[in-house]
């Protein structure tokens, strides 16, 4: 095994500053396209050939939102795919409905009112299609979610299913605007509701509609088996946040891997892909890649996803993840190989399993690609405005860059890859 341990954490951190500086990278937004341009030009400097593949998406972008109660305005964010409000907002009496279950509505009237609920800490869910549907069916005109942390957690109106045809379902019988506030503001709003008939005004300026995103592919052709490919990938967009860890970390590591490999001949082709539109879109970027290359997916002999690797707990090599409607199991061979590579280099990585689903790696696995996902679990600030540069550990960037660059280089030169399945 040849070890590559000359990645530079400071350089990756500087790349991360530039990426975060693009703004909140909603898929298809101006900020995401700026990030794509930065990624493209950085890949080119490493002499990889670069290919861009655009694809259409149903995009969501929030411009601004607010919740006003009793003359006081509270900071808020809008749930992904929520409708907006008129410029003057929507006003209605507030009604508390527990955690939003059907049984929480017994003996309360929410018709033409604004429902407010707690985000359940037991489940830590981030899809609120069922709860908003329940409120809408009972006649509510608006919806407010209180996070259990002292910051806003940006949630979505998706169903949470892996199957694409069941992931986006309409709010029945009609959509209503849905916003989120943080724990402390939520507690204050609930105290203010002690006054009977307390009203709120919610405002949300959003975009819901068709846009384009792009997958940026960086390719270094193999010298002996160019038709066989080692794939490294990760999404570039964010959940309407600075996205320093999720997934700025995986993005800048790919840029560094390109630098490390640029002058090294490899028998197999190595491809690094900055995917667009993963967040809150059913992994649209990986789905677009799979559809575009479905005839040659079998040429991918091993794949590694980098997503959220530089904050939280020690880095895990993921063995799979659970969705409400299916279980995804990653290839044992590639999982073992990455863990073994880290151990031989003197780094610590352990295997793990995600109870909350999978990112783009789930789509690739479902399409027959042998892959795994590198993740640092326990990042409490993900999908929040607190996913900022100061939460990222530059030394974790180096650990992951060293291990994955080494694994990719050796896989690209390995005689046989049948054991990666």
């Amino acid at each position: 095994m040849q070890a590559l341990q000359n990645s530079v954490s400071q350089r990756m951190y500087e790349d991360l500053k530039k990426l975060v500086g693009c703004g909140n990278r909603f898929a298809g937004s101006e900020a995401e396209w700026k990030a794509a341009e930065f990624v493209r030009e950085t890949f080119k400097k490493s002499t990889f050939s670069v290919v861009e593949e655009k694809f259409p998406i149903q995009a969501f972008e929030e411009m601004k939102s607010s919740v006003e109660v009793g003359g006081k305005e509270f900071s808020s964010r809008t749930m992904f795919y929520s409708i907006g409000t008129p410029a003057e907002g929507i006003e209605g009496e507030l009604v508390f409905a527990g955690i939003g279950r059907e049984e929480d509505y017994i003996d309360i009237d929410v018709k033409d009112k604004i429902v407010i609920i707690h985000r359940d800490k037991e489940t830590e869910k981030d899809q609120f299609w069922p709860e908003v549907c329940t409120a809408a069916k009972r006649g509510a005109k608006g919806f407010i979610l209180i996070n259990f942390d002292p910051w806003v957690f940006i949630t979505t109106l998706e169903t949470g299913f892996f199957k694409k045809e069941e992931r986006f379902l309409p709010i029945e019988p009609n959509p209503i605007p849905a916003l989120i506030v943080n724990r402390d503001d939520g507690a204050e709003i609930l105290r203010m509701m002690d006054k009977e008939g307390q009203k709120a005004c919610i405002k949300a300026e959003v975009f819901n509609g068709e846009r384009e995103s792009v997958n940026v592919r960086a390719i270094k052709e193999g010298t002996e088996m160019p038709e066989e490919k080692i794939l490294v990938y990760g999404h570039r967009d964010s959940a309407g946040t600075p996205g320093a860890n999720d997934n700025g970390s995986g993005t800048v590591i790919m840029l560094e891997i390109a630098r490390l490999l640029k002058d090294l001949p490899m028998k197999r082709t190595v491809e690094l892909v900055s995917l667009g539109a993963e967040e809150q879109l059913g992994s649209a970027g990986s789905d677009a890649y799979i559809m575009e290359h479905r005839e040659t997916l079998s040429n991918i002999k091993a794949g590694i996803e980098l997503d959220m690797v530089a904050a939280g707990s020690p880095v895990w090599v993921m063995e799979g993840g659970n969705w409400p409607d299916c279980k995804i199991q990653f290839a044992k061979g590639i999982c073992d190989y990455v863990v073994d590579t880290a151990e031989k280099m003197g780094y610590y990585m352990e295997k793990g399993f995600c109870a909350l689903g999978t990112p783009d790696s789930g789509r690739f696995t479902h399409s027959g690609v042998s892959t795994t996902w590198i993740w640092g679990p326990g990042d409490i600030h993900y999908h929040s405005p607190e996913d900022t540069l100061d939460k990222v550990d530059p030394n974790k960037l180096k650990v992951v860059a060293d291990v994955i660059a080494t694994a990719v280089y050796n896989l690209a030169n390995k005689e046989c890859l049948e054991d990666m399945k």
Side-chain angles (χ1 to χ4, degrees), residues 183-201:
R183 179 193 66 195
D184 299 333
D185 287 347
E188 184 172 352
I189 291 171
L190 292 179
R191 286 194 297 270
M192 296 171 76
M193 285 173 61
D194 287 342
K195 177 184 175 182
E196 187 176 351
Q198 182 64 265
K199 291 185 177 181
C201 180

Side-chain angles (χ1 to χ4, degrees), residues 161-182:
F161 292 115
F162 181 80
K163 293 177 183 175
K164 290 180 292 182
E165 60 272 21
E166 296 180 9
R167 191 175 180 102
F168 297 96
L169 299 177
I171 301 294
E172 300 289 357
N174 57 274
I176 58 176
L179 280 67
I180 314 111
V181 297
N182 68 38

Side-chain angles (χ1 to χ4, degrees), residues 330-344:
F330 297 142
K332 183 179 186 301
I334 185 64
C335 294
D336 290 345
Y337 189 84
V338 175
V339 171
D340 185 57
T341 298
E343 183 177 338
K344 287 178 178 177

Side-chain angles (χ1 to χ4, degrees), residues 2-6 46-48 219-223 256-270 402 404-410 412-413:
Q2 180 171 335
L4 307 180
Q5 293 180 277
N6 53 338
S46 296
T47 68
F48 276 61
I219 303 163
K220 183 178 175 65
E221 191 166 296
T223 57
E256 188 71 2
I257 290 173
R259 297 183 183 109
L260 298 178
L261 298 181
K262 70 174 184 176
D263 296 323
L264 299 177
M266 291 172 287
K267 295 178 182 179
R268 292 181 180 85
T269 295
V270 169
D402 285 349
I404 301 308
T406 297
V408 168
Y409 176 79
N410 288 293
N413 290 294

Side-chain angles (χ1 to χ4, degrees), residues 133-387:
C133 274
T134 299
K137 286 175 182 175
R138 291 174 176 269
K141 58 167 45 175
F143 189 94
I144 301 171
L145 176 72
I146 304 171
N147 191 28
F148 48 68
D149 284 314
W151 51 80
V152 171
F153 179 80
I154 300 171
T155 61
T156 176
L157 293 181
E158 297 167 83
T159 63
F161 292 115
F162 181 80
K163 293 177 183 175
K164 290 180 292 182
E165 60 272 21
E166 296 180 9
R167 191 175 180 102
F168 297 96
L169 299 177
I171 301 294
E172 300 289 357
N174 57 274
I176 58 176
L179 280 67
I180 314 111
V181 297
N182 68 38
R183 179 193 66 195
D184 299 333
D185 287 347
E188 184 172 352
I189 291 171
L190 292 179
R191 286 194 297 270
M192 296 171 76
M193 285 173 61
D194 287 342
K195 177 184 175 182
E196 187 176 351
Q198 182 64 265
K199 291 185 177 181
C201 180
I202 58 176
K203 297 179 181 179
E205 182 184 346
V206 302
F207 171 85
N208 276 295
E210 293 185 1
R211 282 181 174 170
E212 277 191 326
S213 185
V214 63
N215 292 333
V216 183
R217 303 169 57 211
I219 303 163
K220 183 178 175 65
E221 191 166 296
T223 57
E224 295 182 21
M225 295 173 278
E227 72 284 354
E228 295 190 4
K229 184 184 297 183
I230 309 300
L231 184 70
V232 182
Y233 57 98
H235 71 90
R236 178 186 61 253
D237 60 312
S238 72
T241 71
N245 187 43
D246 184 14
N247 184 34
S249 60
T251 301
V252 300
I253 289 170
M254 282 194 293
L255 300 179
E256 188 71 2
I257 290 173
R259 297 183 183 109
L260 298 178
L261 298 181
K262 70 174 184 176
D263 296 323
L264 299 177
M266 291 172 287
K267 295 178 182 179
R268 292 181 180 85
T269 295
V270 169
E271 180 174 338
L272 311 171
V273 187
S274 173
L275 295 165
E278 186 266 351
E279 295 288 10
Q280 320 291 29
L281 284 156
S283 299
S286 51
D287 192 48
Y289 183 99
I290 290 162
M291 293 296 292
E292 180 72 20
H293 302 282
R294 56 188 175 275
E295 300 301 325
T296 57
L297 286 179
S298 60
N299 292 347
I300 301 173
K301 301 305 176 183
I304 301 173
E305 178 175 22
L306 303 171
D307 191 358
M308 293 178 61
V309 298
S313 307
V315 176
W316 285 8
V317 178
M318 303 306 293
E319 296 180 291
N322 274 333
W323 291 88
D325 54 338
C326 71
K327 179 180 180 179
I328 299 293
Q329 193 75 48
F330 297 142
K332 183 179 186 301
I334 185 64
C335 294
D336 290 345
Y337 189 84
V338 175
V339 171
D340 185 57
T341 298
E343 183 177 338
K344 287 178 178 177
M345 296 174 69
Y347 294 128
Y348 175 77
M349 288 187 180
E350 62 181 87
K351 294 179 187 176
F353 194 87
C354 183
L356 300 174
T358 53
D360 290 298
S361 44
R363 296 290 170 202
F364 280 103
T365 295
H366 190 65
S367 298
V369 175
S370 295
T371 191
T372 187
W373 160 34
I374 313 302
W375 180 39
D379 178 6
I380 60 175
H381 299 108
Y382 91 106
H383 287 198
S384 86
E386 298 298 310
D387 183 4

Side-chain angles (χ1 to χ4, degrees), residues 35 37 58 62 98 111 118 178 195 232 251 293 324 352 381 393:
E37 180 181 6
Q58 280 299 121
E62 176 194 23
K111 185 172 175 55
H118 280 299
K195 177 184 175 182
V232 182
T251 301
H293 302 282
H381 299 108
D393 182 350

